[in-house]
Amino acid sequence: MEYFPPALENLVEQFAKLPGIGRKSAQRLAFHVLSLSPEEAEAFAQAVVEAKRAIHCCPVCQNLTEGDGPCSICASPRRDTSLICVVADPKDVVAMERSREYQGLYHVLHGVISPMNHVSPDDLHIKSLLERVAAGGVSEVIMATNPDTEGEATAMYLSRLLKPFQVKVTRLAYGIPVGSHLEYTDDATLMRALEGRREM
Ligand SMILES: [Zn+2]
């Protein structure tokens, strides 16, 4: 049985709660923190507290943003507000923005429907998407969830929900291999997927 002073043990436990971090890695990280100067350790702790305090979901698109108002994309006068691109994750917005091809707005679901992981439609930001479309001014909703089983099922589910609103619903034309993620797709492929999108 290993013995650490309680404060160190607590630090190890906090690191061990992070995704993908086992007990051994947690110990390594805790010892690293102990080797920092007091200023460095303070800056690290402050970054955690400050990120948690400052980052919120944009009230319009649900992407992560600082402050209470809409994010910079929703607030931009240069974006095409008639287009909404639906993605699973804030990281997917970064991927789409990187391609610099897309000029519309986004809607971040914060996950996909996954019975296996106990994620139901109620756990996702779907109601706010329907409200945006219902409010009018949207001509097309682009489904850009990943081309895996759960991403496809989520896109199908949403397209059915959106049918009554008489809005065009399209799906990215994935030349992207099945099972791959938007996040790791190169810009050229993403651009082709966007240009070749098809009505669902
Ligand atoms: Zn936004």
Side-chain angles (χ1 to χ4, degrees):
M1 192 70 196
E2 284 162 289
Y3 173 74
F4 291 135
L8 178 54
E9 182 57 38
N10 183 30
L11 188 57
V12 171
E13 272 170 30
Q14 293 304 323
F15 276 121
K17 286 179 190 166
L18 299 177
I21 303 290
R23 181 85 193 163
K24 275 271 177 288
S25 298
Q27 286 180 10
R28 194 169 47 78
L29 292 169
F31 279 113
H32 173 74
V33 167
L34 285 184
S35 76
L36 299 175
S37 70
E39 294 74 27
E40 287 170 326
E42 184 72 33
F44 179 70
Q46 269 305 315
V48 174
V49 173
E50 184 57 19
K52 197 58 202 162
R53 189 196 63 76
I55 307 291
H56 300 282
C57 285
C58 167
V60 181
C61 72
Q62 312 298 330
N63 194 13
L64 298 178
T65 184
E66 280 200 32
D68 295 328
C71 70
S72 58
I73 293 174
C74 287
S76 169
R78 286 188 298 277
R79 308 294 296 217
D80 181 352
T81 55
S82 71
L83 282 177
I84 296 179
C85 178
V86 177
V87 295
D89 201 279
K91 282 182 290 204
D92 300 329
V93 173
V94 176
M96 290 292 290
E97 285 297 289
R98 210 183 46 208
S99 76
R100 282 194 224 97
E101 183 78 356
Y102 181 66
Q103 295 301 323
L105 303 179
Y106 294 94
H107 195 86
V108 183
L109 298 171
H110 290 269
V112 285
I113 300 167
S114 170
M116 234 167 64
N117 297 311
H118 310 286
V119 181
S120 79
D122 290 342
D123 298 316
L124 306 175
H125 289 278
I126 291 175
K127 193 165 159 273
S128 50
L129 171 64
L130 299 181
E131 284 167 0
R132 286 177 77 184
V133 175
V138 178
S139 64
E140 182 180 349
V141 180
I142 304 164
M143 295 297 160
T145 47
N146 287 319
D148 52 21
T149 313
E150 290 172 345
E152 289 295 350
T154 303
M156 284 303 295
Y157 176 85
L158 290 177
S159 79
R160 278 199 298 270
L161 284 184
L162 289 166
K163 274 272 145 61
F165 296 103
Q166 315 264 307
V167 66
K168 192 172 165 190
V169 181
T170 55
R171 182 85 173 113
L172 287 194
Y174 281 100
I176 303 171
V178 172
S180 69
H181 284 71
L182 218 60
E183 195 188 341
Y184 307 119
T185 305
D186 67 88
D187 299 355
T189 307
L190 206 52
M191 216 180 284
R192 277 199 304 276
L194 189 61
E195 280 165 359
R197 65 187 185 271
R198 290 190 196 92
E199 202 153 346
M200 288 184 79

